[in-house]
Amino acid sequence: MGGILMLTRARRGVAVLTTALSTALLFVLLGQPATAAPPNIPSAATARTELNALRVAAEGSMTGYSRDLFPHWTSSGGCTTRQTVLKRDGSNVVVDSNCQPTSGSWYSPYDGVTVTSASGVDIDHIVPLAEAWRSGANSWTTDTRRSFANDLSSPQLIASSASSNRSKGDQDPADWKPVSSYQCTYARMWIRAKYRWNLSVDSAEKTALTSMLNTC
């Protein structure tokens, strides 16, 4: 009787293991959920240090500003910057011979929306181009502004839903924030981008960023 009980338990164990392995295999085949993840996001502690190192100054004028002064979506390795971010931030992304995504899904952390068509995805500049202009980029060369607008090495570009990106516009964190669960990450990215490019912050912006870091 004991031998039968042990055999039954063993069979149950094999069944549970088989189910677990099947679930894991299915997860691999289907791919992980889309999770936008720009590179080099600092820790909260590092972000606080970088925020305190930024120059605090009133925002400058928009005089002379044009998006054309920030040439963006340059090409490298056969893909534009936009296409590169779409591949990086999406899940199960398939591209054609021109590097254009033909299928995939993109999770927008700003509003928790998943987009299933590349045409519905915007590539957001974490620090908007106009905000950069008001914070010091007005004195940059066009080459420097081009590098900023296509920066793939720091957390300055992210895939987002078109609606959340357009809601944000060129506002800084004093006037626009993503959903509460993403504010810690957003503040860390914003601070790193400004620190990396030696851009200033205004006092209200710094206060808002400090508050967002306190949610980490």
Side-chain angles (χ1 to χ4, degrees), residues 141-193:
T141 65
T142 299
D143 283 344
T144 300
R145 287 192 287 262
R146 178 184 293 108
S147 296
F148 172 80
N150 296 277
D151 184 9
L152 293 167
S153 63
S154 66
Q156 166 58 4
L157 297 170
I158 192 170
S160 69
S161 66
S163 58
S164 65
N165 183 40
R166 291 162 199 181
S167 170
K168 173 187 172 182
D170 66 352
Q171 300 175 91
D172 71 29
D175 299 309
W176 186 91
K177 299 176 181 64
V179 293
S180 58
S181 60
Y182 198 66
Q183 288 180 17
C184 168
T185 302
Y186 184 74
R188 288 152 52 205
M189 292 191 297
W190 182 284
I191 292 165
R192 172 54 60 87

Short mmCIF file of all heavy atoms in Angstrom, two decimals, residues 141-193:
data_model
loop_
_atom_site.label_atom_id
_atom_site.label_comp_id
_atom_site.label_asym_id
_atom_site.label_seq_id
_atom_site.Cartn_x
_atom_site.Cartn_y
_atom_site.Cartn_z
N THR A 141 25.99 73.86 -30.83
CA THR A 141 26.11 73.74 -32.29
C THR A 141 25.04 72.78 -32.79
O THR A 141 24.47 71.99 -32.02
CB THR A 141 27.49 73.19 -32.68
OG1 THR A 141 27.61 71.85 -32.18
CG2 THR A 141 28.61 74.05 -32.12
N THR A 142 24.79 72.82 -34.08
CA THR A 142 23.81 71.89 -34.66
C THR A 142 24.26 70.45 -34.47
O THR A 142 23.42 69.57 -34.21
CB THR A 142 23.61 72.19 -36.16
OG1 THR A 142 23.11 73.52 -36.32
CG2 THR A 142 22.62 71.22 -36.79
N ASP A 143 25.55 70.18 -34.57
CA ASP A 143 26.05 68.82 -34.37
C ASP A 143 25.75 68.32 -32.96
O ASP A 143 25.38 67.15 -32.76
CB ASP A 143 27.55 68.75 -34.63
CG ASP A 143 27.89 68.75 -36.12
OD1 ASP A 143 26.96 68.49 -36.93
OD2 ASP A 143 29.05 69.00 -36.47
N THR A 144 25.90 69.18 -31.97
CA THR A 144 25.61 68.78 -30.59
C THR A 144 24.13 68.54 -30.41
O THR A 144 23.71 67.56 -29.76
CB THR A 144 26.10 69.85 -29.59
OG1 THR A 144 27.50 70.02 -29.73
CG2 THR A 144 25.79 69.44 -28.16
N ARG A 145 23.31 69.40 -31.00
CA ARG A 145 21.87 69.20 -30.90
C ARG A 145 21.45 67.92 -31.61
O ARG A 145 20.52 67.23 -31.17
CB ARG A 145 21.12 70.42 -31.45
CG ARG A 145 21.20 71.63 -30.52
CD ARG A 145 20.23 72.73 -30.94
NE ARG A 145 20.66 73.42 -32.14
CZ ARG A 145 21.30 74.58 -32.15
NH1 ARG A 145 21.63 75.19 -31.02
NH2 ARG A 145 21.63 75.17 -33.29
N ARG A 146 22.10 67.59 -32.71
CA ARG A 146 21.82 66.33 -33.42
C ARG A 146 22.15 65.14 -32.51
O ARG A 146 21.37 64.18 -32.42
CB ARG A 146 22.63 66.24 -34.71
CG ARG A 146 22.42 64.92 -35.47
CD ARG A 146 23.31 64.80 -36.69
NE ARG A 146 22.96 65.78 -37.72
CZ ARG A 146 23.69 66.85 -38.02
NH1 ARG A 146 24.83 67.08 -37.36
NH2 ARG A 146 23.30 67.67 -38.96
N SER A 147 23.28 65.21 -31.84
CA SER A 147 23.67 64.11 -30.95
C SER A 147 22.67 63.96 -29.81
O SER A 147 22.31 62.84 -29.42
CB SER A 147 25.08 64.36 -30.39
OG SER A 147 26.05 64.35 -31.42
N PHE A 148 22.22 65.07 -29.27
CA PHE A 148 21.24 65.04 -28.19
C PHE A 148 19.93 64.42 -28.66
O PHE A 148 19.33 63.58 -27.96
CB PHE A 148 21.00 66.47 -27.69
CG PHE A 148 19.87 66.59 -26.70
CD1 PHE A 148 20.05 66.26 -25.37
CD2 PHE A 148 18.62 67.06 -27.12
CE1 PHE A 148 19.01 66.38 -24.46
CE2 PHE A 148 17.58 67.19 -26.20
CZ PHE A 148 17.78 66.85 -24.88
N ALA A 149 19.47 64.82 -29.82
CA ALA A 149 18.17 64.36 -30.33
C ALA A 149 18.18 62.89 -30.73
O ALA A 149 17.11 62.28 -30.88
CB ALA A 149 17.76 65.20 -31.53
N ASN A 150 19.35 62.31 -30.89
CA ASN A 150 19.47 60.90 -31.29
C ASN A 150 20.24 60.08 -30.26
O ASN A 150 20.81 59.04 -30.59
CB ASN A 150 20.16 60.81 -32.66
CG ASN A 150 19.36 61.45 -33.77
OD1 ASN A 150 18.46 60.84 -34.33
ND2 ASN A 150 19.69 62.70 -34.09
N ASP A 151 20.24 60.53 -29.02
CA ASP A 151 21.06 59.91 -27.97
C ASP A 151 20.51 58.54 -27.56
O ASP A 151 19.49 58.45 -26.88
CB ASP A 151 21.12 60.85 -26.76
CG ASP A 151 22.03 60.33 -25.67
OD1 ASP A 151 22.75 59.34 -25.91
OD2 ASP A 151 22.02 60.91 -24.57
N LEU A 152 21.23 57.50 -27.95
CA LEU A 152 20.84 56.13 -27.60
C LEU A 152 21.65 55.58 -26.43
O LEU A 152 21.38 54.46 -25.98
CB LEU A 152 21.02 55.21 -28.82
CG LEU A 152 20.09 55.46 -30.00
CD1 LEU A 152 20.57 54.70 -31.23
CD2 LEU A 152 18.66 55.03 -29.64
N SER A 153 22.61 56.34 -25.95
CA SER A 153 23.50 55.83 -24.90
C SER A 153 23.06 56.24 -23.50
O SER A 153 23.59 55.74 -22.51
CB SER A 153 24.93 56.31 -25.14
OG SER A 153 25.01 57.72 -25.07
N SER A 154 22.11 57.14 -23.39
CA SER A 154 21.59 57.54 -22.09
C SER A 154 20.06 57.45 -22.13
O SER A 154 19.48 57.28 -23.20
CB SER A 154 22.04 58.97 -21.74
OG SER A 154 21.48 59.91 -22.63
N PRO A 155 19.39 57.54 -20.98
CA PRO A 155 17.92 57.40 -20.99
C PRO A 155 17.22 58.66 -21.46
O PRO A 155 16.56 59.36 -20.69
CB PRO A 155 17.62 57.09 -19.51
CG PRO A 155 18.71 57.77 -18.76
CD PRO A 155 19.94 57.64 -19.63
N GLN A 156 17.35 58.95 -22.73
CA GLN A 156 16.79 60.17 -23.31
C GLN A 156 15.72 59.88 -24.35
O GLN A 156 14.96 60.77 -24.72
CB GLN A 156 17.92 61.02 -23.90
CG GLN A 156 17.54 62.15 -24.84
CD GLN A 156 16.60 63.19 -24.20
OE1 GLN A 156 16.26 63.13 -23.02
NE2 GLN A 156 16.15 64.13 -25.00
N LEU A 157 15.60 58.63 -24.79
CA LEU A 157 14.61 58.25 -25.79
C LEU A 157 13.83 57.04 -25.30
O LEU A 157 14.41 56.10 -24.76
CB LEU A 157 15.28 57.92 -27.13
CG LEU A 157 16.04 59.06 -27.82
CD1 LEU A 157 16.84 58.51 -29.00
CD2 LEU A 157 15.07 60.13 -28.29
N ILE A 158 12.52 57.06 -25.50
CA ILE A 158 11.68 55.94 -25.05
C ILE A 158 10.44 55.84 -25.93
O ILE A 158 9.91 56.85 -26.39
CB ILE A 158 11.28 56.12 -23.57
CG1 ILE A 158 10.66 54.86 -23.00
CG2 ILE A 158 10.34 57.31 -23.40
CD1 ILE A 158 10.45 54.90 -21.49
N ALA A 159 10.00 54.61 -26.18
CA ALA A 159 8.76 54.40 -26.92
C ALA A 159 7.58 54.66 -26.00
O ALA A 159 7.55 54.19 -24.86
CB ALA A 159 8.71 52.96 -27.44
N SER A 160 6.60 55.41 -26.49
CA SER A 160 5.42 55.72 -25.70
C SER A 160 4.20 55.76 -26.61
O SER A 160 4.32 55.84 -27.83
CB SER A 160 5.58 57.07 -24.98
OG SER A 160 5.56 58.13 -25.92
N SER A 161 3.03 55.71 -26.00
CA SER A 161 1.83 55.88 -26.80
C SER A 161 1.80 57.30 -27.34
O SER A 161 2.31 58.24 -26.71
CB SER A 161 0.58 55.63 -25.94
OG SER A 161 0.44 56.63 -24.94
N ALA A 162 1.24 57.45 -28.52
CA ALA A 162 1.17 58.78 -29.13
C ALA A 162 0.39 59.74 -28.25
O ALA A 162 0.76 60.91 -28.10
CB ALA A 162 0.53 58.68 -30.52
N SER A 163 -0.68 59.25 -27.62
CA SER A 163 -1.52 60.14 -26.81
C SER A 163 -0.77 60.66 -25.59
O SER A 163 -0.87 61.84 -25.25
CB SER A 163 -2.79 59.42 -26.38
OG SER A 163 -2.48 58.24 -25.64
N SER A 164 0.03 59.79 -24.93
CA SER A 164 0.75 60.26 -23.74
C SER A 164 1.87 61.21 -24.12
O SER A 164 2.13 62.20 -23.43
CB SER A 164 1.31 59.07 -22.95
OG SER A 164 2.30 58.37 -23.68
N ASN A 165 2.52 60.93 -25.23
CA ASN A 165 3.61 61.81 -25.67
C ASN A 165 3.07 63.19 -26.02
O ASN A 165 3.68 64.21 -25.69
CB ASN A 165 4.31 61.19 -26.89
CG ASN A 165 5.49 62.02 -27.35
OD1 ASN A 165 6.25 62.56 -26.56
ND2 ASN A 165 5.64 62.14 -28.66
N ARG A 166 1.93 63.25 -26.66
CA ARG A 166 1.38 64.54 -27.06
C ARG A 166 0.76 65.27 -25.87
O ARG A 166 0.73 66.50 -25.84
CB ARG A 166 0.38 64.32 -28.20
CG ARG A 166 1.14 63.89 -29.46
CD ARG A 166 0.34 63.23 -30.54
NE ARG A 166 1.23 62.50 -31.44
CZ ARG A 166 0.82 61.83 -32.51
NH1 ARG A 166 -0.46 61.82 -32.82
NH2 ARG A 166 1.69 61.19 -33.26
N SER A 167 0.31 64.51 -24.88
CA SER A 167 -0.16 65.13 -23.65
C SER A 167 1.01 65.79 -22.91
O SER A 167 0.87 66.89 -22.36
CB SER A 167 -0.81 64.07 -22.75
OG SER A 167 -1.07 64.58 -21.46
N LYS A 168 2.14 65.13 -22.94
CA LYS A 168 3.34 65.68 -22.29
C LYS A 168 3.84 66.93 -23.00
O LYS A 168 4.18 67.93 -22.37
CB LYS A 168 4.44 64.62 -22.28
CG LYS A 168 5.79 65.12 -21.79
CD LYS A 168 6.86 64.05 -21.96
CE LYS A 168 8.24 64.61 -21.65
NZ LYS A 168 9.30 63.59 -21.86
N GLY A 169 3.88 66.88 -24.33
CA GLY A 169 4.38 68.02 -25.09
C GLY A 169 5.80 68.38 -24.69
O GLY A 169 6.66 67.51 -24.60
N ASP A 170 6.04 69.68 -24.43
CA ASP A 170 7.39 70.09 -24.05
C ASP A 170 7.44 70.48 -22.56
O ASP A 170 8.31 71.24 -22.14
CB ASP A 170 7.87 71.26 -24.92
CG ASP A 170 7.06 72.54 -24.71
OD1 ASP A 170 6.03 72.49 -24.00
OD2 ASP A 170 7.46 73.59 -25.24
N GLN A 171 6.51 69.94 -21.78
CA GLN A 171 6.43 70.30 -20.36
C GLN A 171 7.48 69.57 -19.52
O GLN A 171 7.84 68.43 -19.81
CB GLN A 171 5.03 69.97 -19.83
CG GLN A 171 3.90 70.71 -20.54
CD GLN A 171 2.55 70.26 -20.06
OE1 GLN A 171 2.00 70.84 -19.13
NE2 GLN A 171 2.00 69.23 -20.67
N ASP A 172 7.93 70.24 -18.47
CA ASP A 172 8.87 69.60 -17.56
C ASP A 172 8.07 68.96 -16.41
O ASP A 172 6.85 69.09 -16.35
CB ASP A 172 9.94 70.58 -17.07
CG ASP A 172 9.42 71.64 -16.12
OD1 ASP A 172 8.44 71.39 -15.37
OD2 ASP A 172 9.99 72.76 -16.11
N PRO A 173 8.74 68.24 -15.49
CA PRO A 173 8.02 67.51 -14.44
C PRO A 173 7.20 68.37 -13.47
O PRO A 173 6.39 67.84 -12.72
CB PRO A 173 9.14 66.76 -13.71
CG PRO A 173 10.18 66.55 -14.76
CD PRO A 173 10.16 67.83 -15.54
N ALA A 174 7.42 69.69 -13.46
CA ALA A 174 6.58 70.54 -12.63
C ALA A 174 5.17 70.64 -13.19
O ALA A 174 4.22 70.93 -12.45
CB ALA A 174 7.20 71.94 -12.53
N ASP A 175 5.03 70.37 -14.49
CA ASP A 175 3.73 70.54 -15.16
C ASP A 175 3.16 69.25 -15.74
O ASP A 175 1.97 69.22 -16.08
CB ASP A 175 3.87 71.57 -16.29
CG ASP A 175 4.30 72.94 -15.78
OD1 ASP A 175 3.65 73.42 -14.83
OD2 ASP A 175 5.28 73.49 -16.30
N TRP A 176 3.98 68.22 -15.88
CA TRP A 176 3.48 66.95 -16.42
C TRP A 176 4.23 65.79 -15.80
O TRP A 176 5.47 65.84 -15.65
CB TRP A 176 3.66 66.90 -17.95
CG TRP A 176 3.02 65.67 -18.56
CD1 TRP A 176 1.74 65.56 -19.03
CD2 TRP A 176 3.62 64.37 -18.73
NE1 TRP A 176 1.52 64.28 -19.49
CE2 TRP A 176 2.65 63.53 -19.31
CE3 TRP A 176 4.88 63.85 -18.44
CZ2 TRP A 176 2.90 62.20 -19.62
CZ3 TRP A 176 5.14 62.50 -18.73
CH2 TRP A 176 4.15 61.69 -19.32
N LYS A 177 3.49 64.76 -15.42
CA LYS A 177 4.09 63.55 -14.85
C LYS A 177 3.41 62.33 -15.44
O LYS A 177 2.22 62.37 -15.79
CB LYS A 177 3.93 63.53 -13.33
CG LYS A 177 4.60 64.68 -12.59
CD LYS A 177 4.29 64.62 -11.10
CE LYS A 177 4.93 65.77 -10.34
NZ LYS A 177 4.36 67.08 -10.77
N PRO A 178 4.11 61.22 -15.56
CA PRO A 178 3.47 59.97 -16.00
C PRO A 178 2.66 59.38 -14.84
O PRO A 178 2.57 59.98 -13.77
CB PRO A 178 4.67 59.08 -16.34
CG PRO A 178 5.75 59.55 -15.40
CD PRO A 178 5.54 61.05 -15.29
N VAL A 179 2.08 58.21 -15.04
CA VAL A 179 1.34 57.56 -13.97
C VAL A 179 2.24 57.41 -12.74
O VAL A 179 3.47 57.32 -12.85
CB VAL A 179 0.82 56.18 -14.42
CG1 VAL A 179 -0.25 56.33 -15.50
CG2 VAL A 179 1.96 55.29 -14.90
N SER A 180 1.64 57.39 -11.57
CA SER A 180 2.41 57.44 -10.33
C SER A 180 3.43 56.32 -10.20
O SER A 180 4.51 56.52 -9.65
CB SER A 180 1.46 57.43 -9.13
OG SER A 180 0.63 56.27 -9.15
N SER A 181 3.10 55.14 -10.70
CA SER A 181 4.01 53.99 -10.57
C SER A 181 5.30 54.16 -11.37
O SER A 181 6.26 53.43 -11.14
CB SER A 181 3.30 52.71 -11.00
OG SER A 181 2.89 52.80 -12.36
N TYR A 182 5.31 55.12 -12.31
CA TYR A 182 6.49 55.30 -13.16
C TYR A 182 7.24 56.58 -12.84
O TYR A 182 8.25 56.89 -13.45
CB TYR A 182 6.06 55.29 -14.64
CG TYR A 182 7.20 55.03 -15.60
CD1 TYR A 182 7.86 53.81 -15.61
CD2 TYR A 182 7.62 56.02 -16.49
CE1 TYR A 182 8.92 53.57 -16.49
CE2 TYR A 182 8.66 55.78 -17.38
CZ TYR A 182 9.31 54.56 -17.36
OH TYR A 182 10.34 54.31 -18.22
N GLN A 183 6.78 57.33 -11.86
CA GLN A 183 7.39 58.64 -11.60
C GLN A 183 8.82 58.55 -11.09
O GLN A 183 9.66 59.39 -11.43
CB GLN A 183 6.51 59.44 -10.65
CG GLN A 183 5.23 59.92 -11.31
CD GLN A 183 4.34 60.72 -10.38
OE1 GLN A 183 4.77 61.19 -9.33
NE2 GLN A 183 3.08 60.88 -10.76
N CYS A 184 9.11 57.54 -10.29
CA CYS A 184 10.48 57.36 -9.81
C CYS A 184 11.43 57.16 -10.98
O CYS A 184 12.46 57.84 -11.09
CB CYS A 184 10.54 56.17 -8.85
SG CYS A 184 12.23 55.63 -8.47
N THR A 185 11.09 56.24 -11.86
CA THR A 185 11.94 55.95 -13.03
C THR A 185 12.04 57.16 -13.95
O THR A 185 13.12 57.49 -14.44
CB THR A 185 11.39 54.75 -13.81
OG1 THR A 185 11.31 53.62 -12.93
CG2 THR A 185 12.28 54.40 -15.00
N TYR A 186 10.91 57.81 -14.17
CA TYR A 186 10.90 58.98 -15.05
C TYR A 186 11.80 60.08 -14.52
O TYR A 186 12.58 60.68 -15.28
CB TYR A 186 9.46 59.49 -15.19
CG TYR A 186 9.29 60.64 -16.15
CD1 TYR A 186 9.36 60.43 -17.53
CD2 TYR A 186 9.05 61.94 -15.70
CE1 TYR A 186 9.20 61.48 -18.42
CE2 TYR A 186 8.89 62.99 -16.59
CZ TYR A 186 8.96 62.76 -17.95
OH TYR A 186 8.81 63.80 -18.83
N ALA A 187 11.74 60.35 -13.22
CA ALA A 187 12.60 61.38 -12.63
C ALA A 187 14.07 61.02 -12.78
O ALA A 187 14.90 61.88 -13.10
CB ALA A 187 12.25 61.56 -11.15
N ARG A 188 14.40 59.77 -12.57
CA ARG A 188 15.79 59.34 -12.69
C ARG A 188 16.30 59.50 -14.12
O ARG A 188 17.44 59.92 -14.36
CB ARG A 188 15.93 57.89 -12.22
CG ARG A 188 15.79 57.74 -10.71
CD ARG A 188 15.26 56.37 -10.29
NE ARG A 188 16.03 55.29 -10.89
CZ ARG A 188 15.53 54.07 -11.10
NH1 ARG A 188 14.28 53.78 -10.78
NH2 ARG A 188 16.29 53.14 -11.64
N MET A 189 15.45 59.18 -15.11
CA MET A 189 15.84 59.34 -16.51
C MET A 189 16.00 60.83 -16.85
O MET A 189 16.96 61.22 -17.52
CB MET A 189 14.80 58.70 -17.43
CG MET A 189 14.74 57.18 -17.34
SD MET A 189 13.74 56.41 -18.65
CE MET A 189 12.12 57.08 -18.29
N TRP A 190 15.04 61.63 -16.43
CA TRP A 190 15.08 63.07 -16.72
C TRP A 190 16.35 63.69 -16.16
O TRP A 190 17.07 64.44 -16.84
CB TRP A 190 13.85 63.75 -16.12
CG TRP A 190 13.74 65.22 -16.38
CD1 TRP A 190 14.45 66.22 -15.75
CD2 TRP A 190 12.89 65.88 -17.33
NE1 TRP A 190 14.10 67.45 -16.24
CE2 TRP A 190 13.13 67.27 -17.22
CE3 TRP A 190 11.94 65.43 -18.25
CZ2 TRP A 190 12.47 68.20 -17.98
CZ3 TRP A 190 11.28 66.37 -19.01
CH2 TRP A 190 11.53 67.73 -18.88
N ILE A 191 16.65 63.37 -14.91
CA ILE A 191 17.84 63.93 -14.26
C ILE A 191 19.11 63.48 -14.97
O ILE A 191 20.00 64.31 -15.23
CB ILE A 191 17.88 63.52 -12.77
CG1 ILE A 191 16.73 64.21 -12.01
CG2 ILE A 191 19.23 63.87 -12.15
CD1 ILE A 191 16.46 63.60 -10.64
N ARG A 192 19.21 62.20 -15.32
CA ARG A 192 20.41 61.72 -16.00
C ARG A 192 20.59 62.42 -17.35
O ARG A 192 21.72 62.79 -17.72
CB ARG A 192 20.33 60.21 -16.18
CG ARG A 192 21.43 59.59 -17.06
CD ARG A 192 22.87 59.94 -16.64
NE ARG A 192 23.20 59.52 -15.30
CZ ARG A 192 23.66 58.31 -14.98
NH1 ARG A 192 23.82 57.40 -15.92
NH2 ARG A 192 23.97 58.04 -13.73
N ALA A 193 19.50 62.61 -18.10
CA ALA A 193 19.60 63.28 -19.40
C ALA A 193 20.10 64.72 -19.22
O ALA A 193 20.97 65.18 -19.96
CB ALA A 193 18.27 63.25 -20.13
#
